[in-house]
Amino acid sequence: MTFGVAVVIGGTIGSGILRTPGEVAAQLRAPWLIITVWLLGGLYAVLCTLAVTELATTYPVAGSWFVYSRRAFGKYAGFVVGCCDWMMQSTAIAYLSVAFGEFAAGLQPRLTPYVNRIGLGCLLVLAALNWIGLRAGSRTQEITSFIKAFSLILFVAGCFFLSPSGGSAAPAATALPARTESMFIAFVIAFQAVIVTYDGWYSAIYFVEEDKNPSRNMPRSSLIGTLACVVIFVLVNFALLRILPIPQLATSQVPAADAARTVFGSHGKQIILIISMITSISTVNATILMSPRILFGMSREGLLPRWLTAVNPGGTPAAALLLCTVASGALILSGNFDSLIAICSFLYVAAYISGFASLFVLRSRPAADAAQDHFKMWGYPWTNLAVLLASAGFLIASVFGDLRHSLFTLILIALTYPLYFFLIRKQGSR
Protein backbone atom coordinates (compact mmCIF):
# COMPACT_ATOMS: atom_id res chain seq x y z
CA MET A 1 0.00 0.00 0.00
CA THR A 2 2.90 2.35 0.73
CA PHE A 3 4.19 1.91 -2.80
CA GLY A 4 0.69 2.61 -4.19
CA VAL A 5 0.53 5.92 -2.30
CA ALA A 6 4.06 6.80 -3.44
CA VAL A 7 3.37 6.13 -7.11
CA VAL A 8 0.14 8.18 -7.05
CA ILE A 9 1.95 11.12 -5.46
CA GLY A 10 4.92 10.64 -7.79
CA GLY A 11 2.71 10.46 -10.88
CA THR A 12 0.42 13.37 -9.93
CA ILE A 13 2.56 16.05 -8.31
CA GLY A 14 4.67 17.50 -11.09
CA SER A 15 6.22 20.87 -11.74
CA GLY A 16 2.80 22.03 -12.97
CA ILE A 17 1.72 22.98 -9.44
CA LEU A 18 4.59 25.48 -9.37
CA ARG A 19 3.27 27.15 -12.56
CA THR A 20 -0.47 26.53 -12.96
CA PRO A 21 -1.70 28.71 -10.03
CA GLY A 22 -0.71 31.78 -12.05
CA GLU A 23 -2.80 30.66 -15.04
CA VAL A 24 -5.79 29.98 -12.78
CA ALA A 25 -5.46 33.34 -10.99
CA ALA A 26 -5.29 35.14 -14.35
CA GLN A 27 -8.72 33.73 -15.21
CA LEU A 28 -10.57 33.94 -11.87
CA ARG A 29 -8.88 36.88 -10.03
CA ALA A 30 -10.63 36.21 -6.70
CA PRO A 31 -9.07 34.11 -3.91
CA TRP A 32 -12.28 32.28 -3.04
CA LEU A 33 -12.86 31.33 -6.68
CA ILE A 34 -9.27 30.16 -7.05
CA ILE A 35 -9.52 27.85 -4.03
CA THR A 36 -12.97 26.66 -5.17
CA VAL A 37 -11.74 25.54 -8.59
CA TRP A 38 -8.82 23.64 -7.01
CA LEU A 39 -11.23 21.90 -4.64
CA LEU A 40 -13.56 21.02 -7.53
CA GLY A 41 -10.59 19.65 -9.45
CA GLY A 42 -9.73 17.58 -6.39
CA LEU A 43 -13.30 16.26 -6.21
CA TYR A 44 -13.08 15.31 -9.90
CA ALA A 45 -9.79 13.48 -9.28
CA VAL A 46 -11.24 11.59 -6.29
CA LEU A 47 -14.35 10.47 -8.21
CA CYS A 48 -12.19 9.40 -11.15
CA THR A 49 -10.01 7.44 -8.74
CA LEU A 50 -13.06 5.62 -7.39
CA ALA A 51 -14.10 4.62 -10.92
CA VAL A 52 -10.72 3.22 -12.00
CA THR A 53 -10.24 1.54 -8.62
CA GLU A 54 -13.39 -0.50 -9.27
CA LEU A 55 -12.09 -1.40 -12.73
CA ALA A 56 -8.62 -2.31 -11.45
CA THR A 57 -9.87 -4.50 -8.60
CA THR A 58 -12.46 -6.16 -10.87
CA TYR A 59 -9.79 -7.05 -13.45
CA PRO A 60 -6.50 -7.15 -11.49
CA VAL A 61 -4.20 -7.71 -14.46
CA ALA A 62 -1.37 -5.62 -15.92
CA GLY A 63 -2.14 -3.10 -18.66
CA SER A 64 -4.49 -0.52 -17.07
CA TRP A 65 -6.77 1.35 -19.51
CA PHE A 66 -6.46 -1.06 -22.43
CA VAL A 67 -7.59 -3.97 -20.21
CA TYR A 68 -10.98 -2.37 -19.56
CA SER A 69 -11.58 -1.28 -23.17
CA ARG A 70 -10.54 -4.73 -24.39
CA ARG A 71 -13.16 -6.41 -22.21
CA ALA A 72 -15.89 -3.84 -22.79
CA PHE A 73 -15.52 -3.04 -26.50
CA GLY A 74 -13.30 -5.71 -28.05
CA LYS A 75 -9.71 -6.27 -29.14
CA TYR A 76 -9.36 -3.33 -31.49
CA ALA A 77 -10.62 -0.83 -28.91
CA GLY A 78 -8.15 -2.25 -26.41
CA PHE A 79 -5.33 -2.03 -28.96
CA VAL A 80 -6.06 1.64 -29.73
CA VAL A 81 -6.32 2.64 -26.08
CA GLY A 82 -3.15 0.73 -25.20
CA CYS A 83 -1.15 2.31 -28.04
CA CYS A 84 -2.37 5.79 -27.10
CA ASP A 85 -1.57 5.20 -23.44
CA TRP A 86 1.95 3.99 -24.22
CA MET A 87 2.62 6.94 -26.52
CA MET A 88 1.47 9.34 -23.79
CA GLN A 89 3.71 7.78 -21.17
CA SER A 90 6.76 7.66 -23.48
CA THR A 91 6.32 11.32 -24.37
CA ALA A 92 5.90 12.23 -20.71
CA ILE A 93 9.12 10.43 -19.79
CA ALA A 94 11.04 12.33 -22.47
CA TYR A 95 9.49 15.72 -21.66
CA LEU A 96 10.06 15.40 -17.92
CA SER A 97 13.63 14.18 -18.39
CA VAL A 98 14.43 17.26 -20.46
CA ALA A 99 12.69 19.41 -17.82
CA PHE A 100 15.10 17.93 -15.27
CA GLY A 101 17.98 19.04 -17.48
CA GLU A 102 16.52 22.55 -17.74
CA PHE A 103 16.20 22.84 -13.97
CA ALA A 104 19.79 21.64 -13.57
CA ALA A 105 20.91 24.30 -16.07
CA GLY A 106 18.98 26.89 -14.05
CA LEU A 107 21.06 25.99 -11.02
CA GLN A 108 24.31 25.90 -13.01
CA PRO A 109 24.12 27.99 -16.22
CA ARG A 110 27.24 26.32 -17.65
CA LEU A 111 25.12 23.19 -18.17
CA THR A 112 22.73 24.97 -20.57
CA PRO A 113 24.25 23.49 -23.80
CA TYR A 114 23.87 19.99 -22.34
CA VAL A 115 20.21 20.05 -21.27
CA ASN A 116 19.15 17.14 -23.50
CA ARG A 117 22.18 15.06 -22.53
CA ILE A 118 21.43 15.62 -18.85
CA GLY A 119 17.83 14.56 -19.49
CA LEU A 120 19.04 11.42 -21.27
CA GLY A 121 21.37 10.67 -18.35
CA CYS A 122 18.47 11.03 -15.91
CA LEU A 123 16.40 8.60 -17.99
CA LEU A 124 19.20 6.02 -18.24
CA VAL A 125 19.99 6.09 -14.51
CA LEU A 126 16.34 5.60 -13.53
CA ALA A 127 15.85 2.92 -16.20
CA ALA A 128 18.90 1.06 -14.82
CA LEU A 129 17.44 1.20 -11.30
CA ASN A 130 14.19 -0.27 -12.56
CA TRP A 131 16.04 -2.90 -14.60
CA ILE A 132 17.52 -4.24 -11.35
CA GLY A 133 14.02 -5.13 -10.23
CA LEU A 134 10.70 -3.96 -8.89
CA ARG A 135 12.11 -3.59 -5.37
CA ALA A 136 14.78 -1.08 -6.48
CA GLY A 137 12.32 0.88 -8.63
CA SER A 138 9.61 0.94 -5.97
CA ARG A 139 12.04 1.97 -3.23
CA THR A 140 13.28 4.82 -5.43
CA GLN A 141 9.66 5.88 -5.93
CA GLU A 142 8.84 5.84 -2.24
CA ILE A 143 11.92 7.92 -1.33
CA THR A 144 11.54 10.52 -4.10
CA SER A 145 7.77 10.89 -3.54
CA PHE A 146 8.30 11.46 0.18
CA ILE A 147 11.03 14.05 -0.45
CA LYS A 148 8.87 15.81 -3.04
CA ALA A 149 5.80 16.02 -0.82
CA PHE A 150 7.87 17.04 2.21
CA SER A 151 9.65 19.76 0.20
CA LEU A 152 6.35 21.28 -0.91
CA ILE A 153 5.02 21.19 2.65
CA LEU A 154 8.18 22.98 3.84
CA PHE A 155 7.64 25.59 1.11
CA VAL A 156 4.06 26.10 2.30
CA ALA A 157 5.20 26.35 5.93
CA GLY A 158 7.81 28.96 4.96
CA CYS A 159 5.15 31.05 3.22
CA PHE A 160 2.93 30.96 6.30
CA PHE A 161 5.43 31.27 9.13
CA LEU A 162 8.29 33.35 7.73
CA SER A 163 7.91 37.08 7.33
CA PRO A 164 7.69 38.15 3.67
CA SER A 165 9.53 41.36 4.60
CA GLY A 166 12.64 39.26 5.27
CA GLY A 167 13.16 38.42 1.62
CA SER A 168 13.68 40.39 -1.54
CA ALA A 169 10.32 40.86 -3.17
CA ALA A 170 9.83 40.18 -6.83
CA PRO A 171 8.80 43.12 -9.00
CA ALA A 172 5.18 44.00 -8.42
CA ALA A 173 2.77 43.51 -11.30
CA THR A 174 0.61 46.27 -12.73
CA ALA A 175 -3.17 46.15 -12.53
CA LEU A 176 -4.83 43.41 -14.57
CA PRO A 177 -6.52 44.41 -17.82
CA ALA A 178 -10.28 44.35 -18.07
CA ARG A 179 -11.82 40.92 -18.66
CA THR A 180 -12.80 40.25 -22.27
CA GLU A 181 -14.56 36.89 -21.87
CA SER A 182 -17.47 35.82 -19.68
CA MET A 183 -16.97 34.54 -16.15
CA PHE A 184 -18.22 31.12 -17.25
CA ILE A 185 -15.57 30.84 -19.98
CA ALA A 186 -12.89 31.98 -17.54
CA PHE A 187 -13.97 29.32 -15.05
CA VAL A 188 -13.92 26.59 -17.72
CA ILE A 189 -10.40 27.58 -18.83
CA ALA A 190 -9.20 27.61 -15.22
CA PHE A 191 -10.81 24.21 -14.54
CA GLN A 192 -9.07 22.74 -17.58
CA ALA A 193 -5.69 23.88 -16.23
CA VAL A 194 -6.50 22.37 -12.83
CA ILE A 195 -7.55 19.01 -14.34
CA VAL A 196 -4.26 18.86 -16.26
CA THR A 197 -2.34 19.50 -13.03
CA TYR A 198 -4.20 16.70 -11.22
CA ASP A 199 -3.40 14.20 -13.99
CA GLY A 200 -1.73 11.10 -12.54
CA TRP A 201 -4.37 10.09 -9.98
CA TYR A 202 -4.71 6.75 -11.82
CA SER A 203 -1.04 5.74 -11.46
CA ALA A 204 -1.60 2.86 -9.01
CA ILE A 205 -3.76 0.83 -11.43
CA TYR A 206 -0.71 -0.09 -13.54
CA PHE A 207 0.60 -2.29 -10.70
CA VAL A 208 -2.57 -4.05 -9.61
CA GLU A 209 -1.38 -7.48 -10.79
CA GLU A 210 1.70 -7.21 -8.56
CA ASP A 211 -0.42 -6.40 -5.50
CA LYS A 212 -0.94 -9.46 -3.28
CA ASN A 213 -4.30 -8.15 -2.04
CA PRO A 214 -5.61 -5.56 -4.55
CA SER A 215 -9.19 -5.50 -3.24
CA ARG A 216 -7.87 -4.27 0.11
CA ASN A 217 -4.79 -2.26 -0.85
CA MET A 218 -5.77 -0.58 -4.11
CA PRO A 219 -8.72 1.48 -2.76
CA ARG A 220 -6.65 2.62 0.23
CA SER A 221 -3.48 3.51 -1.64
CA SER A 222 -5.30 5.24 -4.52
CA LEU A 223 -7.55 7.33 -2.29
CA ILE A 224 -4.86 8.23 0.24
CA GLY A 225 -2.49 9.22 -2.57
CA THR A 226 -5.10 11.30 -4.41
CA LEU A 227 -6.34 13.03 -1.25
CA ALA A 228 -2.73 13.82 -0.28
CA CYS A 229 -2.25 15.51 -3.67
CA VAL A 230 -5.47 17.51 -3.22
CA VAL A 231 -4.35 18.73 0.21
CA ILE A 232 -0.88 19.70 -1.05
CA PHE A 233 -2.24 21.53 -4.11
CA VAL A 234 -4.78 23.51 -2.06
CA LEU A 235 -2.16 24.38 0.57
CA VAL A 236 0.27 25.58 -2.11
CA ASN A 237 -2.43 27.88 -3.48
CA PHE A 238 -3.24 29.23 -0.01
CA ALA A 239 0.47 29.92 0.50
CA LEU A 240 0.82 31.71 -2.83
CA LEU A 241 -2.28 33.81 -2.16
CA ARG A 242 -0.84 34.81 1.20
CA ILE A 243 2.47 35.99 -0.27
CA LEU A 244 1.58 37.37 -3.71
CA PRO A 245 -1.14 39.91 -4.52
CA ILE A 246 -3.59 38.75 -7.18
CA PRO A 247 -2.17 40.98 -9.99
CA GLN A 248 1.34 39.61 -9.39
CA LEU A 249 0.14 36.00 -9.06
CA ALA A 250 -1.91 36.29 -12.25
CA THR A 251 0.99 37.60 -14.35
CA SER A 252 3.73 35.37 -12.95
CA GLN A 253 5.18 32.59 -15.13
CA VAL A 254 6.37 30.64 -12.08
CA PRO A 255 4.45 31.94 -9.04
CA ALA A 256 6.22 29.58 -6.65
CA ALA A 257 9.58 31.11 -7.63
CA ASP A 258 8.30 34.65 -7.00
CA ALA A 259 6.86 33.61 -3.63
CA ALA A 260 10.09 31.84 -2.66
CA ARG A 261 12.14 34.89 -3.62
CA THR A 262 9.89 37.04 -1.46
CA VAL A 263 10.10 34.72 1.56
CA PHE A 264 13.59 33.21 1.29
CA GLY A 265 15.41 36.08 -0.37
CA SER A 266 18.14 35.50 -2.95
CA HIS A 267 18.08 31.73 -2.36
CA GLY A 268 14.41 31.44 -3.32
CA LYS A 269 15.08 30.63 -6.96
CA GLN A 270 17.53 27.86 -6.04
CA ILE A 271 15.04 26.36 -3.59
CA ILE A 272 12.33 26.14 -6.25
CA LEU A 273 14.75 24.71 -8.82
CA ILE A 274 15.83 21.98 -6.39
CA ILE A 275 12.19 21.13 -5.61
CA SER A 276 11.50 21.04 -9.36
CA MET A 277 14.41 18.65 -9.96
CA ILE A 278 13.19 16.30 -7.23
CA THR A 279 9.67 16.53 -8.65
CA SER A 280 10.93 15.63 -12.13
CA ILE A 281 12.93 12.62 -10.90
CA SER A 282 9.96 11.26 -8.97
CA THR A 283 7.53 11.66 -11.87
CA VAL A 284 9.95 10.21 -14.44
CA ASN A 285 10.54 7.17 -12.24
CA ALA A 286 6.80 6.66 -11.73
CA THR A 287 6.22 6.81 -15.48
CA ILE A 288 9.13 4.44 -16.20
CA LEU A 289 7.48 2.00 -13.81
CA MET A 290 4.11 2.32 -15.57
CA SER A 291 5.01 2.37 -19.26
CA PRO A 292 6.51 -1.16 -19.68
CA ARG A 293 3.50 -2.72 -18.01
CA ILE A 294 1.27 -1.45 -20.82
CA LEU A 295 3.36 -3.27 -23.44
CA PHE A 296 3.67 -6.36 -21.22
CA GLY A 297 -0.12 -6.62 -20.78
CA MET A 298 -0.89 -6.02 -24.47
CA SER A 299 1.69 -8.60 -25.52
CA ARG A 300 0.31 -11.22 -23.15
CA GLU A 301 -3.17 -10.78 -24.63
CA GLY A 302 -1.82 -11.24 -28.16
CA LEU A 303 -2.01 -7.61 -29.27
CA LEU A 304 1.76 -7.14 -29.54
CA PRO A 305 4.76 -9.45 -30.21
CA ARG A 306 5.20 -12.15 -27.60
CA TRP A 307 8.81 -11.24 -26.74
CA LEU A 308 7.55 -8.17 -24.87
CA THR A 309 6.31 -10.49 -22.07
CA ALA A 310 9.90 -11.29 -21.00
CA VAL A 311 10.42 -10.63 -17.27
CA ASN A 312 13.85 -10.59 -15.59
CA PRO A 313 14.65 -12.22 -12.20
CA GLY A 314 13.93 -8.93 -10.41
CA GLY A 315 10.33 -8.92 -11.61
CA THR A 316 10.78 -6.16 -14.22
CA PRO A 317 9.27 -6.51 -17.73
CA ALA A 318 12.79 -6.20 -19.13
CA ALA A 319 12.09 -6.29 -22.89
CA ALA A 320 9.26 -3.77 -22.57
CA LEU A 321 11.42 -1.51 -20.36
CA LEU A 322 14.19 -1.59 -22.95
CA LEU A 323 11.77 -0.59 -25.73
CA CYS A 324 10.31 2.22 -23.60
CA THR A 325 13.80 3.53 -22.78
CA VAL A 326 14.86 3.51 -26.42
CA ALA A 327 11.66 5.30 -27.53
CA SER A 328 11.87 7.98 -24.83
CA GLY A 329 15.62 8.41 -25.39
CA ALA A 330 15.01 9.00 -29.10
CA LEU A 331 12.41 11.65 -28.25
CA ILE A 332 14.84 13.36 -25.88
CA LEU A 333 17.54 13.53 -28.54
CA SER A 334 15.06 14.83 -31.14
CA GLY A 335 14.20 17.72 -28.82
CA ASN A 336 10.83 18.34 -30.53
CA PHE A 337 7.98 18.00 -28.04
CA ASP A 338 5.46 20.70 -28.85
CA SER A 339 3.30 18.67 -31.23
CA LEU A 340 3.59 15.47 -29.19
CA ILE A 341 2.53 17.20 -25.98
CA ALA A 342 -0.46 18.76 -27.75
CA ILE A 343 -1.45 15.34 -29.10
CA CYS A 344 -1.02 13.65 -25.71
CA SER A 345 -3.14 16.26 -23.93
CA PHE A 346 -5.97 15.10 -26.20
CA LEU A 347 -5.24 11.40 -25.75
CA TYR A 348 -5.03 11.22 -21.98
CA VAL A 349 -8.59 12.56 -21.55
CA ALA A 350 -9.74 10.12 -24.24
CA ALA A 351 -8.22 7.34 -22.09
CA TYR A 352 -10.25 8.58 -19.10
CA ILE A 353 -13.44 8.48 -21.16
CA SER A 354 -12.71 4.94 -22.40
CA GLY A 355 -12.37 3.80 -18.79
CA PHE A 356 -15.55 5.45 -17.51
CA ALA A 357 -17.54 4.16 -20.51
CA SER A 358 -16.09 0.69 -19.94
CA LEU A 359 -17.31 0.74 -16.35
CA PHE A 360 -20.91 1.23 -17.49
CA VAL A 361 -20.62 -1.65 -19.97
CA LEU A 362 -18.81 -4.05 -17.63
CA ARG A 363 -21.24 -3.40 -14.77
CA SER A 364 -24.10 -4.41 -17.05
CA ARG A 365 -22.52 -7.72 -18.09
CA PRO A 366 -20.00 -9.09 -15.55
CA ALA A 367 -17.37 -11.33 -17.13
CA ALA A 368 -16.26 -14.76 -15.94
CA ASP A 369 -12.75 -13.49 -15.17
CA ALA A 370 -13.99 -10.64 -12.95
CA ALA A 371 -12.90 -10.77 -9.30
CA GLN A 372 -15.77 -11.38 -6.93
CA ASP A 373 -14.56 -9.32 -3.97
CA HIS A 374 -13.71 -6.16 -5.91
CA PHE A 375 -14.20 -2.57 -4.77
CA LYS A 376 -17.38 -0.82 -5.97
CA MET A 377 -17.54 2.86 -6.84
CA TRP A 378 -19.45 4.98 -4.33
CA GLY A 379 -22.55 6.69 -5.70
CA TYR A 380 -22.60 4.69 -8.94
CA PRO A 381 -24.01 5.36 -11.57
CA TRP A 382 -24.31 9.11 -10.89
CA THR A 383 -20.71 9.64 -9.83
CA ASN A 384 -19.41 7.76 -12.87
CA LEU A 385 -21.76 9.69 -15.14
CA ALA A 386 -20.54 12.97 -13.65
CA VAL A 387 -16.86 12.28 -14.36
CA LEU A 388 -17.70 10.88 -17.81
CA LEU A 389 -19.58 14.07 -18.76
CA ALA A 390 -16.88 16.31 -17.24
CA SER A 391 -14.18 14.47 -19.18
CA ALA A 392 -16.21 14.61 -22.40
CA GLY A 393 -16.67 18.35 -21.92
CA PHE A 394 -12.93 18.75 -21.41
CA LEU A 395 -12.24 16.75 -24.57
CA ILE A 396 -14.67 18.81 -26.65
CA ALA A 397 -13.10 22.02 -25.36
CA SER A 398 -9.64 20.64 -26.25
CA VAL A 399 -10.78 19.88 -29.79
CA PHE A 400 -12.09 23.39 -30.38
CA GLY A 401 -9.13 24.93 -28.58
CA ASP A 402 -6.56 23.13 -30.76
CA LEU A 403 -8.31 21.89 -33.89
CA ARG A 404 -5.12 21.21 -35.87
CA HIS A 405 -3.55 18.82 -33.35
CA SER A 406 -6.92 17.22 -32.59
CA LEU A 407 -7.46 16.35 -36.26
CA PHE A 408 -3.90 15.05 -36.51
CA THR A 409 -4.54 12.86 -33.46
CA LEU A 410 -7.67 11.39 -35.06
CA ILE A 411 -5.60 10.59 -38.17
CA LEU A 412 -3.03 8.80 -35.99
CA ILE A 413 -5.79 6.77 -34.35
CA ALA A 414 -7.16 5.83 -37.78
CA LEU A 415 -3.70 4.59 -38.79
CA THR A 416 -3.78 2.06 -35.94
CA TYR A 417 -6.45 0.08 -37.85
CA PRO A 418 -4.15 -1.41 -40.52
CA LEU A 419 -1.36 -1.80 -37.92
CA TYR A 420 -3.72 -3.76 -35.69
CA PHE A 421 -4.68 -6.22 -38.42
CA PHE A 422 -1.05 -6.65 -39.46
CA LEU A 423 0.02 -7.51 -35.91
CA ILE A 424 -2.97 -9.74 -35.19
CA ARG A 425 -2.49 -11.66 -38.44
CA LYS A 426 1.23 -12.06 -37.69
CA GLN A 427 0.48 -13.27 -34.17
CA GLY A 428 -2.15 -15.67 -35.49
CA SER A 429 0.24 -17.20 -38.03
CA ARG A 430 2.60 -18.06 -35.16
Side-chain angles (χ1 to χ4, degrees):
M1 191 184 75
T2 304
F3 169 71
V5 173
V7 81
V8 171
I9 291 175
T12 305
I13 300 179
S15 57
I17 187 56
L18 305 177
R19 297 174 177 269
T20 310
E23 302 172 24
V24 174
Q27 295 297 327
L28 301 181
R29 306 185 181 188
W32 71 273
L33 277 176
I34 293 170
I35 297 301
T36 298
V37 79
W38 282 98
L39 288 172
L40 287 175
L43 177 62
Y44 170 82
V46 168
L47 293 179
C48 291
T49 300
L50 294 175
V52 297
T53 299
E54 173 169 343
L55 289 167
T57 55
T58 305
Y59 301 95
V61 293
S64 68
W65 300 106
F66 104 86
V67 173
Y68 321 132
S69 296
R70 160 79 174 80
R71 281 158 175 74
F73 305 112
K75 278 190 173 184
Y76 177 62
F79 179 79
V80 172
V81 171
C83 288
C84 292
D85 192 16
W86 182 72
M87 188 176 81
M88 288 187 296
Q89 304 302 341
S90 298
T91 303
I93 291 170
Y95 173 75
L96 291 164
S97 297
V98 172
F100 173 83
E102 291 173 345
F103 296 138
L107 278 177
Q108 181 50 260
R110 286 182 295 179
L111 298 176
T112 301
Y114 310 106
V115 164
N116 283 19
R117 295 181 191 178
I118 295 170
L120 183 61
C122 173
L123 167 64
L124 294 177
V125 169
L126 292 174
L129 280 172
N130 283 278
W131 185 278
I132 294 171
L134 180 61
R135 185 176 298 277
S138 62
R139 190 66 64 198
T140 300
Q141 192 58 52
E142 290 169 1
I143 293 170
T144 55
S145 293
F146 173 79
I147 295 173
K148 172 165 60 176
F150 187 66
S151 299
L152 287 171
I153 291 170
L154 285 180
F155 167 75
V156 169
C159 290
F160 276 103
F161 298 112
L162 295 180
S163 172
S165 60
S168 58
T174 57
L176 292 173
R179 190 187 300 279
T180 57
E181 72 282 338
S182 69
M183 192 63 216
F184 175 76
I185 297 297
F187 193 86
V188 169
I189 294 172
F191 190 60
Q192 286 179 317
V194 169
I195 288 178
V196 170
T197 308
Y198 274 111
D199 180 55
W201 42 262
Y202 49 79
S203 299
I205 66 175
Y206 290 83
F207 310 94
V208 64
E209 186 171 330
E210 293 151 282
D211 193 328
K212 294 179 180 178
N213 189 357
S215 296
R216 178 181 182 274
N217 294 330
M218 184 65 61
R220 295 183 181 188
S221 60
S222 295
L223 281 173
I224 291 172
T226 303
L227 288 172
C229 294
V230 174
V231 170
I232 289 172
F233 286 177
V234 172
L235 286 177
V236 167
N237 277 273
F238 270 121
L240 295 175
L241 287 167
R242 181 180 184 276
I243 299 299
L244 302 177
I246 290 292
Q248 185 179 342
L249 177 59
T251 55
S252 175
Q253 293 295 317
V254 187
D258 288 343
R261 195 158 52 243
T262 301
V263 174
F264 303 107
S266 59
H267 298 294
K269 178 182 177 181
Q270 286 80 0
I271 290 172
I272 292 302
L273 286 171
I274 291 171
I275 292 176
S276 299
M277 290 177 69
I278 297 169
T279 295
S280 299
I281 291 172
S282 179
T283 310
V284 170
N285 189 72
T287 314
I288 289 175
L289 279 161
M290 293 185 285
S291 187
R293 284 157 176 80
I294 303 168
L295 299 181
F296 171 85
M298 293 179 70
S299 176
R300 191 172 56 183
E301 294 208 13
L303 301 178
L304 288 176
R306 190 71 180 174
W307 57 269
L308 287 169
T309 59
V311 178
N312 69 15
T316 298
L321 174 60
L322 179 61
L323 180 57
C324 294
T325 305
V326 170
S328 297
L331 289 173
I332 290 172
L333 295 177
S334 73
N336 187 7
F337 294 101
D338 293 342
S339 295
L340 281 173
I341 292 169
I343 291 169
C344 288
S345 65
F346 177 96
L347 291 178
Y348 82 80
V349 182
Y352 295 177
I353 292 173
S354 74
F356 305 144
S358 297
L359 181 56
F360 277 122
V361 174
L362 295 172
R363 271 268 193 139
S364 66
R365 49 176 176 83
D369 61 342
Q372 298 302 312
D373 59 342
H374 62 84
F375 172 85
K376 290 191 175 181
M377 184 182 190
W378 306 334
Y380 181 90
W382 306 113
T383 46
N384 192 51
L385 180 63
V387 292
L388 177 61
L389 293 177
S391 302
F394 183 93
L395 189 64
I396 293 169
S398 299
V399 170
F400 284 102
D402 190 354
L403 190 60
R404 181 172 70 90
H405 283 113
S406 298
L407 290 174
F408 185 64
T409 305
L410 292 175
I411 292 171
L412 280 179
I413 292 174
L415 290 175
T416 63
Y417 195 72
L419 176 63
Y420 166 76
F421 279 101
F422 170 76
L423 290 172
I424 291 299
R425 185 173 298 174
K426 191 172 182 180
Q427 291 296 98
S429 67
R430 291 181 176 179

